[in-house]
Amino acid sequence: MDGRSEFLCGVVEGFYGRPWSMEQRKVLFQWMQRWELNTYLYGPKDDLKHRLLWREVYSPEEEGQLHTLIVESEKRGLRFVYSLSPGQDIVFSSSCDLSLLKRKLRQVSKLGCQAFAILFDDIDHSLCQADSQAFSSFAHAQVSVANEIYRFLGEPPVFLFCPTGSKVISRELSVEGLSEVQSVLQRPPLVWDNLHANDYDSRRLFLGPFKGRYPQLATQLRGLLLNPNCEFEANYIPLHTLGTCVCVCVCVSNNDVCVSECVFFILFCVFLTMVCVDEEHQYCPEMALSTALHDWMEELSQPLQPGCVCVVLKRSQLSLISTVHPDVDSDLSEGGDGEEREKKLHNNQFQQGPGQPRSPGGVLCVEKAPLSESQIRLLVGLHYLPHEHGPSAQRLLQDLTWLKEHCHLVSANDKKGPPQKAEEWRGRAAGFLGVCEEIAALHSSVVSGVSKAVLYDLYPYVWDLRNTALVAKAFICWLGCGTTTGAELLGVESEPWVFKGGVSGELQMLLPIGSNSELFSHPPPLFPTSRLYNIRPYHNKDKAELYCMVRQLQQGAQGSPDSSPAHPDLIGDRCLGPCLALCPEYSMVLEDELGVCGCVLGVVDVRSFAKRCQTCWMPAMRDKYPPRTGHANSQEVLQQMEEDQGEYPDSLLYHFPSQLRLDALPDLVDISVTRCLLTALLTALKANGSHGVFCEMQPTDRMRLDFLTKLGFLEIIRGEARHREGVVLGRLL
């Protein structure tokens, strides 16, 4: 860049992943014009002809698209910079490669582009044999090609060259560091800033303000281009605050520039100076964030299409993991009569609010409503910056850490502790649970209250955090029941920022089962739903509803809803009764706005549990279903209960001392919550010392086999099952 050039500030589309669409780039140019950003650099890593196939020229259709971008940027007063990344396989000493490079840039130049960049980032630093003989160093090779191209293009006023930086993502940019770079280059550098880039972690998104780059840096730089989130709609606040920072810096640190500009720009800068600077007249990220939040809320509150979001509940598509007894062939596609749950629509009070209206024909209608200001602040706080969480996320992580470390205050084994300490624990737990519920409500509002474009970009991250919060909330509720022994409570110890996943990943790693990434990392569902779900420990009042649920599942699997047993409790007593009666502390319930829709039951020590069944449970069942009643069905099921108490071999229980059973209604719209339900139980089992768990099923139950296999369960020798045709799947904890 020559001395005539102004300070370049704007956006570099330089991330790995799907490039932005033409329409998204046009919206970007509108944003940049509005926020006084002046430069756009085209360099998406996954554009094949930008990087991998850089030697190939553009087709006529591609030429037309590039020309349109150049024209659109000029209309908005922006400088369009075309970049090329030949570094992966270029032979620097090859005249052929140099000619192909010139041909490609000549083609783009004819489309009207007047600014260019050659990028040699993210490449192997070794030279091939031919280049080693032609150049003294890797830097020499790069500089040679860059200078040749610069002269070929006629020494354009903007020509950028990118080697590598000291860090991929810098928390702060220091004047000292930039001065050192400037002394080497003998000119002020332009910074490619990855502060909001998220292409290195599929579970992280950065909605926080432009931060850690101070006004004093302007004297050391020729420009700064922000390489933002891959998800276009996530970049409103980062780019808004970048523009604010630039305008404030210009107005505060260089009054002469403001005077020489147009009146509108003067007024714009003065306004931003008033609302986005601190008492020392420096750029304030928090104040800039408040302004950006206000503007983004107005954008998100634009009228959506009238009507409602409809999710068709097709049981044949949604019944992924409804489970029945292992000796029943479970054809799930017809199971689960939801009529009784439908009647609860206006009677069941769910924790986050009343149920949602459901239209006839199994279609759930969700009225569209914009996100509230508090929800947008929560969204940003949970997805803030690479090296910093927002207030809500900090509180969430601090509370979970404290509640784990002090769970002995509410333990049933600690009866000598002062009552006020237990109350402190429960009060802090209530705050933690409240934030988890806000995250669930945020997920619902994002699905039902934003445009399709925003939903597409934000949903995977909001969904992922909602699921992790469901598990964490269930874990804290379970700790509050006082049943933990504290054997494996602390989870995975790790320094901050060394594991992936942002807030969701840090919540995960604080859980006893957190190192098992296969339980947490899964793609989101194809069809988002705003339905609210909750996972909690079992209460005695849930028994009747769970018995009803498992009876419906059994009848649906048998394909004969009228073949109900003589006693309504028979199936429930066989499938759920022993666990609910003898170890309810390892029973978790899944519920939505309509009521209970799933459960998972666990046994931490199968050997001792089997003995208790023989001495306590079976005598009670013989009294409940005596032979004199004359009901053949009852006696058949009672005989099956006796068979269920058979022993598992020691070779199985040595590695997998715990057992589980999972049931869920087939009309679950988001089947990922079933995974969360199972993970919640595994967390409790791990916390109390279990090192392995197994479950038994029929080999024909392919959906359940596939579901558990994806969660790390492996099939064990079939002879280990108590039922002759059964299959045992186990996983270590």
Side-chain angles (χ1 to χ4, degrees), residues 178-191:
L178 291 174
S179 298
E180 183 179 350
V181 174
Q182 183 175 355
S183 65
V184 173
L185 299 178
Q186 297 299 306
R187 72 194 71 187
L190 179 144
V191 171

Side-chain angles (χ1 to χ4, degrees), residues 357-665:
R358 190 180 284 206
S359 65
V363 178
L364 179 66
C365 286
V366 182
E367 293 297 329
K368 289 185 175 181
L371 274 69
S372 67
E373 180 179 354
S374 62
Q375 287 182 318
I376 295 178
R377 288 188 176 276
L378 176 65
L379 176 67
V380 173
L382 294 170
H383 305 87
Y384 203 62
L385 291 172
H387 302 282
E388 181 181 356
H389 295 314
S392 53
Q394 293 179 33
R395 184 171 67 253
L396 194 73
L397 296 169
Q398 290 168 359
D399 283 348
L400 179 55
T401 302
W402 188 90
L403 290 168
K404 281 179 24 180
E405 292 175 351
H406 296 83
C407 66
H408 61 277
L409 298 175
V410 291
S411 172
N413 299 324
D414 185 15
K415 299 180 180 179
K416 298 181 180 180
Q420 60 269 26
K421 289 293 185 179
E423 289 303 314
E424 180 185 1
W425 192 96
R426 298 193 184 282
R428 197 153 179 175
F432 177 84
L433 300 181
V435 177
C436 291
E437 290 170 5
E438 290 174 2
I439 292 173
L442 172 65
H443 169 271
S444 178
S445 296
V446 167
V447 172
S448 62
V450 299
S451 67
K452 289 183 179 179
V454 176
L455 173 62
Y456 182 89
D457 283 350
L458 299 186
Y459 180 72
Y461 302 95
V462 178
W463 169 85
D464 178 43
L465 185 55
R466 187 281 307 260
N467 282 359
T468 308
L470 275 177
V471 178
K473 179 185 176 187
F475 176 58
I476 293 302
C477 289
W478 179 78
L479 287 180
C481 296
T483 55
T484 176
T485 63
E488 296 286 343
L489 199 58
L490 294 181
V492 180
E493 293 186 5
S494 182
E495 292 295 327
W497 325 116
V498 301
F499 45 81
K500 293 186 176 183
V503 175
S504 184
E506 291 191 53
L507 281 176
Q508 169 190 329
M509 298 302 282
L510 287 172
L511 299 173
I513 202 74
S515 60
N516 297 271
S517 59
E518 70 276 6
L519 296 174
F520 296 89
S521 299
H522 289 266
L526 294 176
F527 304 102
T529 172
S530 62
R531 184 175 290 191
L532 291 166
Y533 291 97
N534 184 41
I535 299 172
R536 58 170 175 79
Y538 164 80
H539 303 312
N540 289 333
K541 61 182 178 62
D542 299 320
K543 180 178 177 180
E545 202 164 359
L546 291 178
Y547 269 38
C548 178
M549 179 187 72
V550 76
R551 186 168 62 249
Q552 291 178 7
L553 292 173
Q554 192 90 335
Q555 293 168 356
Q558 293 173 344
S560 53
D562 295 331
S563 61
S564 56
H567 196 291
D569 287 351
L570 266 176
I571 296 176
D573 279 340
R574 181 191 178 192
C575 298
L576 309 180
C579 290
L580 296 182
L582 302 179
C583 53
E585 66 273 19
Y586 296 106
S587 300
M588 299 280 186
V589 171
L590 173 66
E591 59 185 354
D592 60 13
E593 297 103 319
L594 303 176
V596 171
C597 53
C599 68
V600 61
L601 312 182
V603 176
V604 70
D605 185 346
V606 172
R607 284 194 181 94
S608 62
F609 176 78
K611 294 177 181 178
R612 294 175 64 196
C613 282
Q614 290 293 348
T615 58
C616 301
W617 178 251
M618 288 312 301
M621 290 299 98
R622 296 186 192 101
D623 292 340
K624 186 174 182 178
Y625 306 109
R628 61 178 179 274
T629 58
H631 295 296
N633 198 325
S634 299
Q635 295 308 303
E636 179 182 346
V637 174
L638 188 61
Q639 179 61 35
Q640 291 172 343
M641 289 185 191
E642 296 278 2
E643 296 174 358
D644 289 343
Q645 307 311 312
E647 295 184 357
Y648 286 101
D650 290 341
S651 58
L652 172 67
L653 299 183
Y654 177 80
H655 296 286
F656 309 98
S658 303
Q659 186 178 12
L660 66 82
R661 174 194 172 87
L662 181 65
D663 292 282
L665 287 177

Side-chain angles (χ1 to χ4, degrees), residues 84-103:
L84 205 60
S85 296
Q88 279 191 314
D89 61 355
I90 188 174
V91 178
F92 293 94
S93 58
S94 168
S95 59
C96 179
D97 272 1
L98 198 59
S99 296
L100 293 174
L101 187 58
K102 292 177 180 179
R103 181 184 68 165

